[in-house]
Amino acid sequence: MEKVAIFVDVQNIYYTTKQSYRRHFNYTAFWSQATAGREVIAAFAYAIDKGDCKQQGFQQVLRNIGFEVKLKPYIQRSDGSAKGDWDVGITLDAIDYAAKVDVIILLSGDGDFDLLLDKARNVYGVTTEVYGVPALTAPSLINSAGRFIAIDDKLLL
């Protein structure tokens, strides 16, 4: 049985599915599809913590599915912009798990992860899968993935 580690860029998936489809991502359907016949070694969902009740409920749903939820505080800058990204955290965790699994599954459309996928494949010999919204996933990320799985109706609520 293949061993997998899953890394979800929650903000990226939320905004790309909302922008492209005006719908929410179905994490339960994803879990069923991505883990079928596989052993999950680790599954992380990286999110920003704004402290609201609705968000905390969503985070509990993710935990109930099987994810460990990692949170960073939401930072509002003085110029009105916001900060809250997990790129470095996702990358470090994925490299930590690359030697322990056969497959790394990344949910994101962020092209910054193309180097991570290249390293995981070339140094650790793992297969890489990316789930993303086709129109909003960086071409470099799609090209770096061993397999790109388009988020479509089957993975939406």
Side-chain angles (χ1 to χ4, degrees), residues 83-129:
K83 170 94 175 110
D85 101 32
W86 269 103
D87 291 8
V88 172
I90 292 170
T91 299
L92 291 172
D93 286 346
I95 292 300
D96 282 347
Y97 279 91
K100 302 171 188 170
V101 299
D102 304 304
V103 181
I104 287 178
I105 301 171
L106 174 67
L107 281 74
S108 183
D110 189 336
D112 290 341
F113 292 118
D114 57 3
L115 296 172
L116 164 63
L117 298 183
D118 290 341
K119 182 170 185 117
R121 181 181 57 257
N122 295 330
V123 174
Y124 297 97
V126 300
T127 300
T128 57
E129 296 178 358

Side-chain angles (χ1 to χ4, degrees), residues 14 49 54 57 133 156:
Y14 173 79
D49 185 14
K54 186 175 179 183
V133 174
L156 297 169

Side-chain angles (χ1 to χ4, degrees), residues 2 5-8 11 26 28 41 43 53 59 69 72 85 94-95 97 100 102 123 131 133 135 148 150 152 154:
E2 282 183 323
I6 302 169
F7 305 91
V8 182
Q11 261 56 36
N26 186 335
T28 302
I41 302 302
C53 292
Q59 292 161 4
V69 177
K72 261 189 184 178
D85 101 32
I95 292 300
Y97 279 91
K100 302 171 188 170
D102 304 304
V123 174
Y131 284 74
V133 174
F148 177 73
D152 58 16
K154 296 181 305 253

